[in-house]
Amino acid sequence: MPDTKDHIVSSFDKELRTIHEIIIRMGGMAENQLSDAVDALVQRDSAKAELVRKEDAKIDALEEELEAAVIQLIALRQPVANDLRAVIAAFKISSDLERIGDYAKNIAKRSIAINQMPPQKSVTSIMRMSRLVQEIVKDTLDAFSNSDKDRAIDVWHRDEEVDEMYTSLFRELLTYMMEDPRNIGACTHMLFIAKNIERMGDHATNIAETIYYLATGERLEGKRPKGDRTAFQILTPDDGEGEVEI
Amino acid sequence: MPDTKDHIVSSFDKELRTIHEIIIRMGGMAENQLSDAVDALVQRDSAKAELVRKEDAKIDALEEELEAAVIQLIALRQPVANDLRAVIAAFKISSDLERIGDYAKNIAKRSIAINQMPPQKSVTSIMRMSRLVQEIVKDTLDAFSNSDKDRAIDVWHRDEEVDEMYTSLFRELLTYMMEDPRNIGACTHMLFIAKNIERMGDHATNIAETIYYLATGERLEGKRPKGDRTAFQILTPDDGEGEVEI
């Protein structure tokens, strides 16, 4: 019965495409949320930050919609092998995108606090780091749309650049805190904002790994060059160059 | 053919039980990793911290094992309705546990850096917070083992206590930083450790939500009391009480 078989295959493909469209929408929203959250910080615009906080619920709702679609697709089409892997991959990717959205929301919250303190010098570095991560998220979504494993590898390597920016920003912020204790409150929020952006990069990298695994059946993990060494950093006012890497 | 039907049902149940056993193992390991990472900090034991860093790979490996088991179970048994939801729930829970493991690893890394600095006063507060989260993780796993929705609700509410401890620790650490800039390096690591533990609590809460949803078909989200207000905190040396909640 080739007709029935074709019919089943095309129904599956059509429903998987619907799931992929949800992912693309989630990804676009997550990208915008990051951009708007950092704009709210740079422009000291707390109203914009409030908007970002509220918008996050839409990404969460899309994740729930995707979960329901995944369960329905598996139950109705009973996919196996690569088809099933593609569905599970979509499920994993949506949870990474939802987390990226959460981090944007957290940045928005913190920018509301920072907007009530004196302007911060590190805002420019945050903006630069955020632009890089936005590009990476965008490229990850392109790699996903085109099942492009080479682009996935490219994205995966660029996370190192994010980690390096984060490490440098971490040192910059600690230096400001040491220079003047009045900076400590705002710089602490900036540290967490930087960490949030760095974590967004990690989630984009997770997505790249999922795309690569789906395309090749092999795992990229374990080969990633790690640029973020701040967990090992020792920096004191007496010892400004005292970075110890273990 | 009632026999065949029974046979299929019991195969599914057996395989789902195998997946649940992986989750219980992952959960036990994540709990130990948190406990050992904080011990490494409290006892200033960098060798123990190194061990925690290495052990994390075992949790990651279990997550991959679980993913493979989930894909195989869906492909072979083609579960629908609640059975399918139970499999997807297991998949989600494993990813929360893997993240809890990652946070423990990050605490271990940071404790290696902190062990090279003077002893920190806030270690006791970190230990208290970590014990609470260990209990919560343990109770979450119990709720999971027994599909106990009431226990899941209980765990879910206790996350508020974690958030409150975190908020208080956040203020404590900022105060130490302001008192003496030489504390800034170590206190920054302590801030991130506290945040990691707070995030572990959030993942336990996610697991509780998944258990509740599976048991009742309803979502707990949106009803959670949020105790962590630090993203809104404004604290300066001039204005020690200047916490603004927006």
Side-chain angles (χ1 to χ4, degrees):
Chain A
M1 293 185 296
D3 280 346
T4 313
K5 174 72 183 144
D6 281 356
H7 176 71
I8 290 170
V9 169
S10 87
S11 290
F12 172 81
D13 286 343
K14 202 175 143 237
E15 285 160 33
L16 185 61
R17 203 152 50 228
T18 307
I19 289 174
H20 281 195
E21 279 162 11
I22 300 177
I23 288 184
I24 299 298
R25 271 163 65 205
M26 284 182 81
M29 283 169 77
E31 224 184 294
N32 283 343
Q33 286 282 87
L34 168 57
S35 161
D36 287 349
V38 173
D39 280 355
L41 176 73
V42 174
Q43 300 159 5
R44 300 175 70 75
D45 182 345
S46 296
K48 185 172 249 172
E50 276 297 345
L51 217 61
V52 171
R53 288 183 63 200
K54 282 193 194 112
E55 284 289 302
D56 184 55
K58 293 189 186 164
I59 301 183
D60 293 351
L62 280 178
E63 193 198 16
E64 284 183 20
E65 195 183 310
L66 186 138
E67 183 175 336
V70 159
I71 288 177
Q72 203 188 10
L73 176 56
I74 294 177
L76 287 181
R77 308 291 162 209
Q78 310 203 320
V80 293
N82 275 343
D83 285 349
L84 179 53
R85 260 182 276 273
V87 177
I88 297 291
F91 188 68
K92 286 173 77 167
I93 290 172
S94 78
S95 111
D96 282 307
L97 291 174
E98 190 268 337
R99 294 292 304 134
I100 292 178
D102 281 350
Y103 286 118
K105 182 181 170 186
N106 191 268
I107 292 172
K109 278 195 206 173
R110 292 185 188 279
S111 75
I112 293 171
I114 292 174
N115 289 347
Q116 294 170 69
M117 305 175 192
Q120 293 298 310
K121 282 187 265 189
S122 307
V123 158
T124 324
S125 309
I126 291 275
M127 201 169 60
R128 208 177 309 123
M129 192 175 160
S130 135
R131 286 212 181 119
L132 176 63
V133 170
Q134 277 170 58
E135 263 174 44
I136 289 178
V137 172
K138 197 186 160 303
D139 288 352
T140 307
L141 290 170
D142 287 348
F144 172 74
S145 296
N146 306 308
S147 309
D148 184 342
K149 74 170 169 52
D150 295 322
R151 196 150 193 176
I153 297 176
D154 178 55
V155 166
W156 191 76
H157 279 293
R158 278 161 67 205
D159 189 48
E160 194 184 6
E161 213 180 315
V162 177
D163 288 344
E164 280 163 7
M165 271 193 187
Y166 171 68
T167 303
S168 132
L169 189 49
F170 179 90
R171 294 177 66 89
E172 180 182 325
L173 286 165
L174 253 60
T175 308
Y176 291 144
M177 288 159 102
M178 286 164 185
E179 270 172 21
D180 184 347
R182 280 171 300 184
N183 291 328
I184 288 175
C187 283
T188 301
H189 283 301
M190 297 288 273
L191 266 177
F192 277 111
I193 287 178
K195 187 71 197 168
N196 285 342
I197 298 175
E198 188 265 339
R199 292 291 304 135
M200 288 169 160
D202 286 346
H203 283 282
T205 310
N206 286 350
I207 297 174
E209 285 173 359
T210 304
I211 297 167
Y212 184 86
Y213 182 61
L214 194 60
T216 65
E218 282 174 30
R219 295 203 185 265
L220 267 173
E221 285 117 301
K223 301 169 197 162
R224 182 169 5 166
K226 283 307 290 177
D228 169 18
R229 306 286 300 172
T230 60
F232 294 121
Q233 285 209 340
I234 298 168
L235 198 62
T236 70
D238 307 323
D239 178 19
E241 293 303 305
E243 180 180 343
V244 174
E245 296 198 353
I246 305 159
Chain B
M1 295 186 294
D3 279 346
T4 313
K5 173 72 183 148
D6 281 355
H7 176 70
I8 290 170
V9 169
S10 88
S11 291
F12 171 81
D13 286 344
K14 203 174 142 237
E15 285 161 35
L16 185 61
R17 203 152 49 228
T18 307
I19 288 174
H20 281 195
E21 279 161 13
I22 300 176
I23 287 183
I24 299 298
R25 273 162 64 205
M26 283 182 81
M29 285 169 75
E31 223 184 297
N32 283 343
Q33 287 281 89
L34 168 57
S35 161
D36 287 349
V38 173
D39 280 355
L41 176 73
V42 174
Q43 300 158 5
R44 300 175 70 77
D45 183 345
S46 295
K48 185 171 248 172
E50 275 299 342
L51 218 61
V52 172
R53 287 182 63 201
K54 282 193 193 111
E55 284 289 302
D56 183 55
K58 292 187 186 163
I59 301 183
D60 293 351
L62 281 177
E63 192 198 17
E64 284 184 19
E65 195 184 308
L66 185 137
E67 183 176 337
V70 159
I71 287 177
Q72 204 188 8
L73 175 57
I74 294 177
L76 287 181
R77 307 292 161 210
Q78 311 203 319
V80 293
N82 275 344
D83 285 348
L84 179 54
R85 261 182 275 275
V87 178
I88 297 290
F91 188 68
K92 285 172 80 167
I93 290 172
S94 78
S95 111
D96 282 308
L97 291 173
E98 190 268 337
R99 295 291 304 134
I100 292 178
D102 281 351
Y103 286 118
K105 182 181 169 187
N106 191 268
I107 292 172
K109 279 194 204 175
R110 293 186 187 278
S111 74
I112 292 171
I114 292 174
N115 289 347
Q116 296 170 68
M117 304 174 193
Q120 294 297 311
K121 282 187 264 189
S122 308
V123 158
T124 324
S125 309
I126 291 276
M127 202 169 60
R128 207 176 311 122
M129 192 176 161
S130 134
R131 286 212 180 118
L132 176 63
V133 171
Q134 276 170 59
E135 264 175 42
I136 289 178
V137 171
K138 198 186 158 302
D139 288 350
T140 308
L141 290 170
D142 287 348
F144 171 75
S145 295
N146 306 310
S147 309
D148 184 341
K149 75 169 169 50
D150 295 323
R151 196 150 192 176
I153 297 176
D154 178 55
V155 166
W156 190 77
H157 279 293
R158 277 161 68 204
D159 189 49
E160 194 183 8
E161 214 180 312
V162 177
D163 289 343
E164 279 163 6
M165 272 194 185
Y166 170 68
T167 302
S168 133
L169 190 48
F170 179 90
R171 294 177 65 91
E172 180 183 326
L173 286 165
L174 252 60
T175 308
Y176 291 143
M177 288 160 102
M178 286 165 186
E179 270 171 20
D180 185 347
R182 281 170 301 184
N183 291 330
I184 289 175
C187 283
T188 301
H189 283 302
M190 298 287 274
L191 265 178
F192 277 111
I193 287 178
K195 186 71 199 169
N196 286 341
I197 298 175
E198 187 265 337
R199 292 291 303 137
M200 288 169 159
D202 286 345
H203 283 282
T205 309
N206 287 348
I207 296 174
E209 285 173 0
T210 304
I211 297 167
Y212 184 86
Y213 181 62
L214 194 60
T216 65
E218 281 175 30
R219 297 204 183 266
L220 267 174
E221 285 116 303
K223 302 169 196 162
R224 179 167 10 163
K226 283 307 291 178
D228 169 18
R229 306 285 303 172
T230 62
F232 294 121
Q233 285 209 337
I234 298 168
L235 199 61
T236 69
D238 306 325
D239 179 20
E241 294 302 307
E243 179 180 343
V244 175
E245 295 199 353
I246 305 157

